[in-house]
Amino acid sequence: MKIAIIGSGVSGLACAARLAKAGLTPTVFDKGRGIGGRMATRRAESGFQFDHGAQMIPCQNESFRAVLDAAKAAGHVADWTTGDGGLQPVGTPGMTALAKFLAQGLDLHQGTEISTVARTSEGWELSADHLLGTFDRVVCTAPVPQAIKLVGHALSDPIDHVSYAPSLTLMVALKRPLDAPDTQSAPNEALAWIAHDSAKPGRQTQNCWVAQASADWSATHLELAKDEIATLMLDLFLTRHGLGAPDVAYATAHRWRYALVTKPLGQAFVTSADGTLYAGGDWCFGPNIEHAWQSGTAIANDILRAA
Ligand SMILES: Cc1cc2nc3c(=O)[nH]c(=O)nc-3n(C[C@H](O)[C@H](O)[C@H](O)COP(=O)(O)OP(=O)(O)OC[C@H]3O[C@@H](n4cnc5c(N)ncnc54)[C@H](O)[C@@H]3O)c2cc1C
């Protein structure tokens, strides 16, 4: 069976890994350069490193816990003692390490943006800037607004009631250590989260920090140019910590338009009427990595069940 998976975020990789374990050879396409989707690690030219998407890997689900335990045993995940003394799993040496763990042995095609998914008498024809092939099953794990554009025409149920909050994120490297907690939750109305990235286990860099704007602040400033976002957020970060521009070695910002699911679908996936095209992702169950893993795994199990 020829299976195409759109997206090498956690849901796409979880789906592909489960199918591969059952002896199938899915092909994974992603428009991004690196794998992991929103579970992302930025390595700046200057050598600084930041987890600018997901920060930690909370886990309630027993099956996902088994995956995390295996990733820990293989050195891709470790527990981080956060500022409030809690323990949270994180990827090591960066959050994308969990994606790399899931992706082992898979057929990955990065830098391939799927532009059309079309039904033919032979199956589902996928194209990027050229024809990629015809597949018996297609799994789309893009965030909902992108999934609707790509495969919305083929889905038997609507998904447009799913909603997201945006997140504007600052990455800043300081020239010297900062005397502040390693994590700060909702330090003020503008900022929702501050983390000392270099304090996570296995990091090689020092004095790298990440700050996420609150959902309201992010929505208000979403359309600003990235350097304007960086300037405003850097000012918020420096003011909060009594620092000034000379303390900064590096700063940049990232715009996550569809960051955190605020209203999920409430079921593991949706399909086309004939059950050969699937759409899923974190947006099926909630805002976290484990929700993405649950949806991707459920899709793979459904493909295997019907095979
Ligand atoms: C700032 C931020 C902080 C977060 N913090 C946490 C946290 O601390 N803990 C936690 O558990 N979760 C957190 N999350 C949420 C977590 O990152 C997501 O729930 C999870 O990574 C979603 O995985 P996914 O595979 O469903 O989607 P994604 O990671 O979005 O993957 C979808 C993939 O599809 C690809 N794609 C889309 N369209 C196309 C196309 N046309 N062609 C090819 N490829 C395409 C994208 O490039 C992407 O790689 C955070 C998210 C953000 C943005």
Side-chain angles (χ1 to χ4, degrees):
M1 192 190 317
K2 279 187 75 182
I3 305 172
I5 298 178
I6 303 169
S8 63
V10 175
S11 51
L13 293 176
C15 184
R18 174 76 190 94
L19 293 170
K21 199 174 171 194
L24 298 174
T25 49
T27 310
V28 183
F29 300 103
D30 198 295
K31 63 184 178 183
R33 266 184 304 151
I35 63 172
R38 278 170 280 156
M39 193 174 68
T41 304
R42 171 85 57 93
R43 289 180 179 84
E45 280 168 25
S46 36
F48 300 118
Q49 176 186 308
F50 310 88
D51 294 331
H52 63 300
Q55 299 290 298
M56 304 177 295
I57 318 173
C59 175
Q60 308 286 330
N61 178 280
E62 279 310 310
S63 305
F64 184 56
R65 190 179 306 283
V67 174
L68 282 188
D69 286 344
K72 273 184 195 170
H76 293 265
V77 168
D79 284 328
W80 179 33
T81 309
T82 58
D84 59 7
L87 273 187
Q88 286 285 351
V90 295
T92 179
M95 282 296 284
T96 45
L98 176 60
K100 287 175 186 154
F101 176 73
L102 293 171
Q104 288 171 79
L106 297 178
D107 181 22
L108 301 173
H109 298 257
Q110 296 300 128
T112 308
E113 179 164 3
I114 305 300
S115 53
T116 56
V117 177
R119 192 77 168 113
T120 70
S121 55
E122 305 296 314
W124 296 99
E125 200 174 80
L126 260 63
S127 303
D129 47 7
H130 60 285
L131 181 62
L132 294 166
T134 303
F135 297 85
D136 305 305
R137 300 286 183 275
V138 170
V139 179
C140 177
T141 66
V144 163
Q146 296 162 0
I148 287 175
K149 279 190 197 149
L150 207 51
V151 298
H153 62 280
L155 298 175
S156 56
D157 292 310
I159 55 174
D160 55 1
H161 52 288
V162 170
S163 60
Y164 294 81
S167 175
L168 298 178
T169 300
L170 173 74
M171 293 156 261
V172 54
L174 298 175
K175 290 182 183 163
R176 57 187 169 86
L178 174 61
D179 185 16
D182 285 340
T183 59
Q184 300 172 55
S185 264
N188 59 39
E189 275 184 18
L191 297 175
W193 169 258
I194 297 174
H196 184 195
D197 207 296
S198 305
K200 293 178 177 176
R203 271 50 179 178
Q204 300 295 322
T205 53
Q206 291 184 334
N207 305 324
C208 291
W209 292 75
V210 168
Q212 294 168 352
S214 66
D216 283 350
W217 199 96
S218 296
T220 304
H221 298 88
L222 194 60
E223 304 306 337
L224 291 181
K226 264 190 230 168
D227 54 352
E228 289 179 274
I229 295 167
T231 302
L232 290 176
M233 288 193 70
L234 184 60
D235 190 45
L236 289 168
F237 180 89
L238 295 177
T239 304
R240 169 152 187 87
H241 297 107
L243 301 173
D247 297 306
V248 177
Y250 173 88
T252 191
H254 188 84
R255 179 193 295 113
W256 296 102
R257 199 172 284 281
Y258 311 115
L260 296 166
V261 174
T262 49
K263 188 173 169 203
L265 185 70
Q267 63 189 59
F269 52 81
V270 285
T271 68
S272 58
D274 67 358
T276 57
L277 180 141
Y278 294 78
D282 61 345
W283 51 268
C284 289
F285 287 129
N288 288 340
I289 289 166
E290 72 173 323
H291 300 125
W293 183 87
Q294 280 177 278
S295 173
T297 302
I299 292 173
N301 287 335
D302 199 69
I303 292 173
L304 294 170
R305 181 191 55 75

